[in-house]
Amino acid sequence: MSKATLTISSKNYSSWSLRGWLLAKFAGLDFDEVVVGPDDASARAEILLLSSSILVPCLRHDGATIWDTLAIAEYLAETFPQAGLLPGDRIARAHCRSISGEIHSGFTTLRASLPVNLKGHFPGFKVWTRAQADIDRIWAIWRDCLDKSGGPFLFGQQRGMADAMYAPVVTRFVTYDVKLEPRLKAYADLIMAMPEMQEWIASAKAEPEEIEELEVEY
């Protein structure tokens, strides 16, 4: 069996690539990275948020090719059940899938107003009212998950699918100086401190600046 590959785009700007990469790391999958440049049409579309379901990230493993981030999550949960990407409890599992689907298909105003930029930091950033509504909803999701599971991750002691799906949101809060209440800040700090996140961020900061301008289409 050939080694798995994960095709990703910019580590500084790509929220979807980060999700796919974290999911593969959480699953314990041994894989090679294939990085496509911003001149690649599919990669650029992904970075510019034109769609959540393009050809990047793309996982190739044991004959399977999976190019949608939520599909990658489900594939890895099925293939590596011991990794615990999904909660063991049926009701918690349904909840996890629901909030993962919500971030996959929603929060378009937040994505457009606060694009992922791991090199950037904007203290005192003025959040647009409609983006604040998305932020409020994310806070409600996190509170609900932490209340039900007891934390420290969204579904308990084990990091999983939902944590990978919401990790780029955590980076947005850091980049744009979004203030969090202590409990949510503790969760955000936990995500940022994960060795995998630290590895990704270090690579993002070392990435050459090849994208002159991010023009988001609504």
Side-chain angles (χ1 to χ4, degrees):
M1 181 173 56
S2 61
K3 190 173 183 180
T5 63
L6 182 70
T7 302
I8 59 174
S9 57
S10 168
K11 287 190 173 181
N12 187 55
Y13 294 114
S14 173
S15 60
W16 293 106
S17 289
L18 171 57
R19 291 182 176 102
W21 189 87
L22 284 176
L23 286 161
K25 288 287 187 177
F26 291 177
L29 177 65
D30 184 22
F31 65 93
D32 287 329
E33 294 179 17
V34 178
V35 181
V36 292
D39 54 338
D40 180 273
S42 185
R44 189 166 182 81
E46 182 235 359
I47 294 169
L48 298 182
L49 314 176
L50 302 183
S51 172
S52 62
S53 180
I54 314 180
L55 300 181
V56 178
C58 179
L59 175 65
R60 291 178 173 85
H61 172 255
D62 196 20
T65 301
I66 315 99
W67 60 88
D68 175 274
T69 309
L70 200 55
I72 290 172
E74 290 287 354
Y75 175 82
L76 291 171
E78 177 184 353
T79 308
F80 302 97
Q82 72 282 359
L85 292 179
L86 285 168
D89 176 75
R90 174 182 62 86
I91 294 174
R93 199 160 54 245
H95 187 192
C96 179
R97 285 188 165 112
S98 294
I99 67 165
S100 296
E102 187 171 351
I103 193 69
H104 183 267
S105 60
F107 303 106
T108 54
T109 304
L110 174 67
R111 293 185 203 169
S113 302
L114 283 71
V116 166
N117 183 350
L118 296 177
K119 295 181 185 179
H121 183 55
F122 307 99
F125 184 82
K126 178 66 174 176
V127 175
W128 187 26
T129 302
R130 286 177 59 192
Q132 186 61 53
D134 280 354
I135 291 171
D136 291 344
R137 172 58 187 155
I138 288 165
W139 289 349
I141 289 170
W142 289 2
R143 289 190 196 104
D144 185 37
C145 288
L146 294 171
D147 283 344
K148 289 176 177 175
S149 73
F153 295 101
L154 292 179
F155 287 89
Q157 296 293 320
Q158 177 69 45
R159 63 194 185 172
M161 179 190 295
D163 302 294
M165 294 298 288
Y166 281 84
V169 175
V170 174
T171 73
R172 286 176 164 98
F173 290 168
V174 173
T175 296
Y176 298 98
D177 196 31
V178 176
K179 304 303 182 187
L180 302 174
E181 63 188 58
R183 189 181 188 194
L184 301 186
K185 186 176 186 305
Y187 171 69
D189 289 346
L190 178 66
I191 294 299
M192 292 297 288
M194 292 189 304
E196 296 85 357
M197 280 294 291
Q198 290 298 304
E199 180 184 346
W200 179 276
I201 291 167
S203 296
K205 291 185 176 180
E207 192 174 79
E209 193 60 55
E210 296 177 328
I211 300 173
E212 294 181 0
E213 184 178 2
L214 290 177
E215 295 179 353
V216 177
E217 292 190 12
Y218 291 86

